Amino acid sequence: MVDREKVLEIIEGYRGQDGILIQLLLDLQAEFNWIPREAISIVSEQLRVPKSQIYRIASFYKAMSLCPVGRHSIQVCMGTACQVRGAQKVLDLTGSRLMIKPGETTHDMSFSLRRVNCLGCCAMGPVIVVDKDYHGNVTAEGVDRIIERYD
Amino acid sequence: MPKLTSVRDLEELRREILSERGGEDPNRLWIAICAGTGCLALGAGRVIDAFKAELEKRGLAEAIEIKETGCPGFCEKGTIVVVNPAGICYLQVRPEDVPEIVEETIQKGRLVDRLLYEDPITAEKAIYEDQIPFYKHQMRLLIKDNIKINPKNIDDYIALGGYRALAEVLSGMSPDEVIEVIKRSHLRGRGGGGFPTGVKWEATRSASGQPKYIIINCDEGDPGAFMDRALMEGNPHSVLEGLIIGAYAIGSSQGYIYVRMEYPLAVENSLLALEQAREYGLLGKDILGSGFDFDVRLHRGAGAFVSGESTALMNALEGKVGEPRPKYVHTSQSGVWNRPSCLNNVETLANIPLIINSGADWFCSIGTERSKGTKIFSLVGKVNNTGLVEVPMGMSLNDIIFKIGGGIPGGKRIKGAQTGGPSGGVIPEEYLDTAIDFDELTNLGSMMGSGSIIVLDEDTCAIDLARYFVDFLCDESCGKCVPCREGLRRMREILNGIVSGKGEEGDLDKLEEIARLMRAASLCALGRTAVNPFLSTLNHFRDEYEAHIREKRCPALVCKPLVSYFIQPEVCIGCRLCQKSCPRAAISGEEKEASVIDQSLCTRCGVCLDVCPPKIRAITKTSGKSSDSHSSGMRNANSGSSHKASRGDRS
């Protein structure tokens, strides 16, 4: 169940301002790690915005997720600099190690894998970000070591 | 802190800050440590903690200030530590180096040799930033202060003369005069379009309708570009000062900063900057007693490349899905909430205080005839010194890549450079001598874009790169208009076919036809320019396309379905490292005997080639017809492309 009070508190922070729907959904995403259906109902009812409009935004943006994600989020940077330094291989290996595809979550809900477009730390590509930790110059052997650390 | 109500107050505050900081004592020691995203990712946080602990231990914590600064650009060599006031520059500093730096340099005044920059050829050491070739050949006007200030503290910016340009504008210039200066400086928008900033401001100023909006575009979506991140993170007040001056010039009372959420530190530092500027009264009502009111809100992007397009960004500011809208009317007439709106790039705005302080003539003295000033490029890819480089417009790509970037790692040959991100193109080796500015890059079939330079070596496949960008844009196309949505998908299908050996005669004609249509009929610039990576690679590397289609061969040995890996039986020592790391168990063989790859199981991931010891190098990678007939050893590679396991292409 979603903590209704928490959702109301986030909405309250934006009361009276225009054009805040995206910001509000980002805050919900940060709070719950995804955007639960109940939260969308509460936002819709409080702001008098059709649910369809909220779903439209939440499904458009990469930073928002409409299904629960794993305890650890793994982002593999697919920016051009990482790409020419072998990011595809790193993504493939991470996926095969976790037995999921990008955009999916492991069965035990421990990891979600996501591709991300350039994090702007191109000097250390290929880059993997687990939760908030950046790992640079990732090699084939490095992938295993990184995942093990969070297992 | 009391609000500043006049220009005199600001100068008074500056004097106070300087005297508090022992401005009279030029020997005061302080340590600058880069705390930009790049260095933090390399462990700068632990270096900072180590310094704090070490100084505490030696009872120096009071006397010596540690400043967590913005990014000076030399990301390759992070963590960067500068010991001031001497300006001794230590590179690749790790926490375990800290006690030695404190003991030797801080306490005894001696250098720690091994942490200084060493020239890879002459082995000569460089002590100061300006002796390092990476910095020496740059002209750093916008990012020079990043290593001197803590971006989380407005006083640091003010101490270096910050907000002086704003004071000058508010106390003695009319909005029209400001616009005139910017027009005379010929500053062109750094976000990619290269539109003259002064003209844009003038159009918004003369548009009817109130309120007017001015917006900082920090939705730096081009993969491989991070100069806006470095400025917004490292010196947010320089951008904010430019914004406030712009707002005054166009007559706006409400501004926005639009930052992509992939840059959490830029979001954090921008928010702090706004708060601190508000406390000092540099934002809000009656700024510096001039009667001018202006405030700014921050809007986080939510992960959509297309939202960096001007009309899409304005939709997002209204809380709608960030898709472009038709531009029948220019946004300077009708933008956010259908009001006159001016969108400027981060780097553009950071130039404004410089122009006001030093004058349009000074600015015009830098650069080429039609592109003035400097440009920050992010130099990435297959290059020794990855990082941000700021150079005057008109420097050649060769100079940037070789003099500043230190050339190509691993002794590889350069193939070209990709500029302008997904909207740009590839410039082959033979044109790298061209002096680059907005117009020259367009003439070469590429564009300035936001300023990424991705260096390509011989191991980069031109078709794979074009496919990468088409794939990227396919994901990022919002799907609103048919030419872009369907055109990109069909292009992706055909290119995927080519790189997996299913290319057919006629594919290139089809791709060119789609490209023509997309260029003519797409709604926004994303679709219109999406064809550039394909067209420029076709133009310069047609033979590679033909090798993929006709010979099913990838000359650069990149396209997975077209390459095979073999173990040379006479070279392999049977250490079985490759067997252990193969994710598909496709390699077999007894210990101390040559291993063999089962081609039917091999997924061509290339891990075996990575782990094969550099002294042995028993694994070959080949592409082309010759590879089909082999089952084990690859003894000659006459008709195909091949190279031995080579290390060091990633330094």
Side-chain angles (χ1 to χ4, degrees):
Chain A
M1 265 313 282
V2 164
D3 180 353
R4 188 181 165 86
E5 289 309 308
K6 194 72 221 175
V7 178
L8 289 175
E9 188 189 315
I10 290 173
I11 295 173
E12 219 35 61
Y14 288 102
R15 207 50 102 178
Q17 295 181 36
D18 291 330
I20 43 81
L21 198 46
I22 297 171
Q23 304 306 297
L24 202 157
L25 293 177
L26 278 174
D27 286 357
L28 289 174
Q29 170 77 35
E31 177 66 33
F32 301 110
N33 216 6
W34 66 297
I35 306 178
R37 184 184 295 221
E38 297 97 311
I40 290 181
S41 298
I42 299 170
V43 173
S44 162
E45 158 202 305
Q46 290 288 318
L47 298 181
R48 296 169 181 273
V49 177
K51 278 187 198 169
S52 61
Q53 198 179 326
I54 304 175
Y55 276 109
R56 171 122 162 75
I57 291 173
S59 57
F60 181 82
Y61 287 108
K62 289 202 184 61
M64 300 174 191
S65 171
L66 287 166
C67 51
V69 291
R71 285 189 299 284
H72 300 292
S73 97
I74 301 188
Q75 303 180 45
V76 179
C77 179
M78 298 301 287
T80 324
C82 289
Q83 167 77 15
V84 299
R85 290 175 174 210
Q88 187 63 49
K89 191 192 278 181
V90 169
L91 180 71
D92 290 350
L93 280 171
T94 314
S96 71
R97 172 73 167 66
L98 298 171
M99 294 195 291
I100 50 173
K101 292 200 187 87
E104 294 179 350
T105 300
T106 52
H107 280 301
D108 61 357
M109 297 299 288
S110 52
F111 292 103
S112 293
L113 178 62
R114 219 156 61 83
R115 307 158 49 114
V116 60
N117 292 328
C118 197
L119 298 155
C121 31
C122 309
M124 33 190 294
V127 174
I128 294 187
V129 182
V130 187
D131 302 331
K132 285 182 178 171
D133 308 334
Y134 289 70
H135 303 272
N137 298 318
V138 179
T139 57
E141 308 92 85
V143 169
D144 276 354
R145 272 203 306 277
I146 293 169
I147 294 174
E148 272 160 24
R149 228 188 279 177
Y150 296 88
D151 244 344
Chain B
M1 179 54 66
K3 282 204 169 163
L4 310 172
T5 55
S6 68
V7 172
R8 257 219 344 254
D9 280 2
L10 176 66
E11 288 310 317
E12 189 59 37
L13 173 70
R14 200 184 323 274
R15 264 196 301 278
E16 258 174 48
I17 296 169
L18 287 173
S19 73
E20 243 173 57
R21 295 179 170 197
E24 293 85 38
D25 178 13
N27 297 322
R28 187 182 60 96
L29 277 163
W30 60 280
I31 302 166
I33 306 170
C34 171
T37 299
C39 279
L40 283 177
L42 289 167
R46 281 179 287 124
V47 174
I48 292 165
D49 290 343
F51 264 108
K52 284 182 180 159
E54 193 63 30
L55 291 180
E56 189 70 42
K57 206 169 87 189
R58 292 171 193 255
L60 294 166
E62 287 291 304
I64 296 166
E65 186 196 4
I66 295 172
K67 218 184 263 297
E68 300 171 28
T69 72
C71 167
F74 203 5
C75 306
E76 186 73 36
K77 300 284 183 194
T79 299
I80 296 172
V81 172
V82 181
V83 182
N84 292 303
I88 299 160
C89 184
Y90 289 135
L91 304 171
Q92 290 177 311
V93 177
R94 292 160 188 278
E96 53 270 28
D97 300 321
V98 170
E100 194 179 345
I101 296 178
V102 174
E103 168 143 4
E104 290 297 313
T105 309
I106 308 276
Q107 294 192 305
K108 298 184 182 155
R110 293 197 292 235
L111 295 169
V112 181
D113 253 16
R114 65 187 165 83
L115 297 173
L116 294 172
Y117 176 85
E118 185 185 293
D119 191 290
I121 298 159
T122 62
E124 218 171 289
K125 300 272 182 181
I127 302 170
Y128 309 108
E129 263 193 1
D130 53 10
Q131 295 174 333
I132 301 172
F134 176 79
Y135 291 116
K136 195 162 67 183
H137 299 288
Q138 296 189 40
M139 182 189 258
R140 290 147 53 87
L141 305 175
L142 299 170
I143 49 176
K144 68 170 187 311
D145 288 341
N146 278 22
I147 193 72
K148 295 182 196 149
I149 62 178
N150 174 354
K152 292 184 165 60
N153 186 354
I154 187 172
D155 287 357
D156 279 17
Y157 182 64
I158 292 177
L160 290 179
Y163 289 106
R164 195 171 268 159
L166 177 68
E168 187 180 332
V169 163
L170 292 182
S171 63
M173 289 172 85
S174 72
D176 288 326
E177 282 167 351
V178 177
I179 290 175
E180 192 48 40
V181 171
I182 302 304
K183 273 169 77 178
R184 272 203 300 118
S185 75
H186 297 287
L187 173 67
R188 296 171 69 173
R190 301 299 197 234
F195 192 79
T197 307
V199 176
K200 202 179 210 177
W201 283 10
E202 191 173 44
T204 320
R205 173 157 188 84
S206 54
S208 59
Q210 281 291 343
K212 291 176 182 174
Y213 297 103
I214 184 164
I215 307 145
I216 300 178
N217 188 352
C218 187
D219 190 48
E220 192 174 41
D222 280 9
F226 53 103
M227 59 291 291
D228 294 350
R229 192 210 76 202
L231 286 172
M232 214 63 222
E233 253 176 40
N235 197 352
H237 286 285
S238 70
V239 186
L240 187 57
E241 185 177 3
L243 180 77
I244 304 171
I245 294 171
Y248 174 75
I250 68 173
S252 162
S253 56
Q254 178 67 54
Y256 287 98
I257 304 179
Y258 188 103
V259 192
R260 67 198 285 254
M261 52 79 69
E262 288 89 339
Y263 290 170
L265 188 59
V267 172
E268 185 187 327
N269 289 0
S270 308
L271 279 171
L272 265 174
L274 292 179
E275 204 177 290
Q276 294 175 352
R278 234 173 256 134
E279 271 175 35
Y280 274 149
L282 295 163
L283 285 176
K285 298 271 176 215
D286 193 18
I287 297 170
L288 297 180
S290 64
F292 170 59
D293 305 336
F294 180 65
D295 212 331
V296 182
R297 263 161 62 179
L298 183 129
H299 185 104
R300 287 163 293 161
F305 177 71
V306 71
S307 291
E309 196 275 340
S310 63
T311 57
L313 188 147
M314 293 182 188
N315 266 342
L317 288 179
E318 295 175 17
K320 298 183 197 147
V321 163
E323 295 179 331
R325 43 196 191 205
K327 268 192 196 167
Y328 304 124
V329 184
H330 201 271
T331 50
S332 60
Q333 311 289 320
S334 174
V336 188
W337 315 108
N338 297 321
R339 295 283 184 274
S341 306
C342 176
L343 180 70
N344 288 129
N345 166 265
V346 170
E347 193 184 335
T348 313
L349 289 172
N351 271 296
I352 302 290
L354 295 180
I355 296 170
I356 299 289
N357 283 330
S358 306
D361 295 335
W362 163 81
F363 193 76
C364 281
S365 68
I366 305 160
T368 63
E369 197 191 335
R370 300 197 54 214
S371 304
K372 302 298 184 190
T374 60
K375 177 78 192 85
I376 309 177
F377 291 98
S378 60
L379 188 59
V380 301
K382 302 288 186 69
V383 62
N384 276 316
N385 298 332
T386 300
L388 289 179
V389 302
E390 184 178 352
V391 295
M393 295 272 189
M395 193 180 243
S396 75
L397 277 167
N398 260 339
D399 280 352
I400 296 176
I401 296 168
F402 289 95
K403 280 193 185 160
I404 299 174
I408 316 298
K412 297 269 175 173
R413 190 186 158 85
I414 189 166
K415 180 170 192 163
Q418 203 280 347
T419 72
S423 310
V426 174
I427 298 168
E429 194 194 353
E430 56 265 37
Y431 294 104
L432 294 180
D433 248 341
T434 320
I436 50 167
D437 63 10
F438 284 105
D439 309 301
E440 281 303 327
L441 282 170
T442 311
N443 291 343
L444 289 173
S446 183
M447 65 187 280
M448 179 75 81
S450 54
S452 61
I453 299 177
I454 292 135
V455 183
L456 314 171
D457 70 1
E458 55 189 310
D459 292 343
T460 317
C461 171
I463 294 84
D464 182 59
L465 189 72
R467 186 203 58 84
Y468 163 78
F469 282 118
V470 168
D471 197 42
F472 172 89
L473 290 164
C474 214
D475 276 353
E476 295 294 343
S477 167
C478 72
K480 188 168 175 171
C481 74
V482 179
C484 174
R485 184 183 67 223
E486 293 304 321
L488 278 167
R489 286 189 194 176
R490 299 294 84 82
M491 281 182 91
R492 173 159 77 172
E493 262 171 28
I494 299 172
L495 286 169
N496 274 337
I498 295 177
V499 297
S500 44
K502 295 178 194 132
E504 293 168 7
E505 290 295 330
D507 276 356
L508 296 179
D509 297 336
K510 267 188 238 160
L511 284 169
E512 280 183 292
E513 194 187 333
I514 298 172
R516 259 199 309 279
L517 190 134
M518 284 174 63
R519 205 174 239 185
S522 296
L523 174 66
C524 79
L526 187 147
R528 285 196 297 272
T529 58
V531 299
N532 288 348
F534 162 68
L535 286 177
S536 69
T537 47
L538 183 67
N539 191 11
H540 298 301
F541 302 100
R542 187 177 272 270
D543 54 329
E544 278 191 43
Y545 276 94
E546 284 167 354
H548 281 71
I549 295 172
R550 294 189 185 144
E551 301 163 39
K552 312 295 174 205
R553 176 170 68 87
C554 174
L557 302 170
V558 170
C559 299
K560 260 197 202 177
L562 301 181
V563 300
S564 327
Y565 293 87
F566 294 98
I567 298 171
Q568 304 175 79
E570 68 277 18
V571 181
C572 179
I573 55 161
C575 70
R576 298 171 81 189
L577 261 180
C578 55
Q579 294 188 28
K580 284 173 206 143
S581 18
C582 177
R584 293 297 152 110
I587 309 177
S588 57
E590 296 300 316
E591 193 156 0
K592 303 213 170 141
E593 278 175 33
S595 300
V596 178
I597 301 174
D598 182 341
Q599 297 297 331
S600 64
L601 292 175
C602 175
T603 60
R604 283 117 173 142
C605 69
V607 169
C608 51
L609 190 136
D610 286 348
V611 297
C612 186
K615 279 189 209 147
I616 311 294
R617 304 210 300 180
I619 297 178
T620 25
K621 189 178 177 186
T622 69
S623 179
K625 291 207 172 65
S626 67
S627 61
D628 298 341
S629 55
H630 285 264
S631 59
S632 62
M634 176 69 208
R635 288 183 188 87
N636 52 33
N638 301 332
S639 59
S641 322
S642 103
H643 73 178
K644 286 187 79 174
S646 63
R647 292 307 182 108
D649 52 343
R650 207 188 291 147
S651 72

